[in-house]
């Protein structure tokens, strides 16, 4: 079994909600109305909705109030790439190129990110996000819902730089495949404890 990757029980709760909704909408991705607001309510402040305007970059259609507090700004309407390092943009492009060489270009995907951001106090704060697809009921347009959260409590005066350095990422097919084994939370499998002083995860030890 692949070791669990999720770093927050709330990220697992978000994944549980999406996969439960997907069962009712299979073989397609869930409609927005399939995602129960009652279940999402405890997570809502840390949720962003992402739209894909034709011929344009993906952008935030909604940026949750908790995310606004974390980053000190509302990114609603802004392109996702505006909050990416150049090296992150290149990595994301390569990641999607590899994904779509293995899967059809219409394959709905999910994406998990473990990263770090710099707070106004100077400290490094680890961050986790999980993005999954859904459809708008009125238009059947494919969009994405993202849950994102800092992995430590921000103090009252702390604000994060919205440019998150991605340390580890996984992109995966969201439908027609079982839920990935790693898409679970186990408090004993902390990546925060594994990250070295330079913010990089040490390479795995090769078996002889």
């Amino acid at each position: 079994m692949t070791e669990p990757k999720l770093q927050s029980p709330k990220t697992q709760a978000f994944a549980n909600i999406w996969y439960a909704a997907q069962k009712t909408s299979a073989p397609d991705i869930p409609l927005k109305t399939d995602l129960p607001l009652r279940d999402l309510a405890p997570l809502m402040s840390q949720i962003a909705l992402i739209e894909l305007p034709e011929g344009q970059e993906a952008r935030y259609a909604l940026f949750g109030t908790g995310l606004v507090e974390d980053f000190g700004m509302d990114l609603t309407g802004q392109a996702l790439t505006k909050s990416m390092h150049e090296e992150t943009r290149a990595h994301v492009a390569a990641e999607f190129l590899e994904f779509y060489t293995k899967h059809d270009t219409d394959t709905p995907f999910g994406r998990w990110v473990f990263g770090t951001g710099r707070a106004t106090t100077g400290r490094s704060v680890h961050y986790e996000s999980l993005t999954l697809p859904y459809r708008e009921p009125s238009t059947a347009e494919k969009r994405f819902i993202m849950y994102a959260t800092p992995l430590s409590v921000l103090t009252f005066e702390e604000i994060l730089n919205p440019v998150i350095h991605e340390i580890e990422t996984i992109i995966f097919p969201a439908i027609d495949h079982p839920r990935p084994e790693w898409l679970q939370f186990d408090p004993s499998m902390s990546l925060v404890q594994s990250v070295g002083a330079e913010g990089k995860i040490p390479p795995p030890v090769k078996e002889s």
Side-chain angles (χ1 to χ4, degrees), residues 108-162:
F109 65 86
R111 188 171 188 261
W112 169 79
V113 175
F114 170 71
T116 186
R118 184 68 62 183
T120 48
T121 54
R123 77 176 176 120
S124 181
V125 177
H126 291 98
Y127 216 81
E128 177 175 57
S129 69
L130 178 63
T131 303
L132 291 162
Y134 73 91
R135 290 195 190 280
E136 280 292 327
S138 58
T139 62
E141 176 189 358
K142 183 170 65 177
R143 293 189 176 189
F144 292 86
I145 181 169
M146 178 182 75
Y147 177 77
T149 184
L151 298 173
S152 58
V153 177
L154 298 178
T155 62
F156 179 74
E157 71 275 10
E158 280 187 313
I159 294 173
L160 282 175
N161 186 321

Side-chain angles (χ1 to χ4, degrees), residues 37-109:
L37 287 176
R38 179 180 297 179
D39 295 341
L40 285 173
L43 312 173
M44 198 66 76
S45 67
Q46 298 296 132
I47 280 178
L49 300 182
I50 299 166
E51 60 184 0
L52 307 169
E54 188 173 353
Q56 301 179 46
E57 291 187 81
R59 67 188 181 196
Y60 293 109
L62 174 73
F63 206 64
T65 55
L67 297 175
V68 173
E69 290 179 7
D70 291 344
F71 297 110
M73 62 181 73
D74 187 352
L75 297 180
T76 299
Q78 294 197 30
L80 272 64
T81 53
K82 286 191 175 181
S83 57
M84 290 183 183
H85 288 286
E86 277 191 34
E87 62 182 40
T88 299
R89 294 181 191 179
H91 167 74
V92 171
E95 188 179 36
F96 276 97
L97 179 61
E98 181 180 0
F99 178 80
Y100 286 122
T101 58
K102 297 177 181 177
H103 305 280
D104 187 85
T105 54
D106 292 327
T107 301
F109 65 86

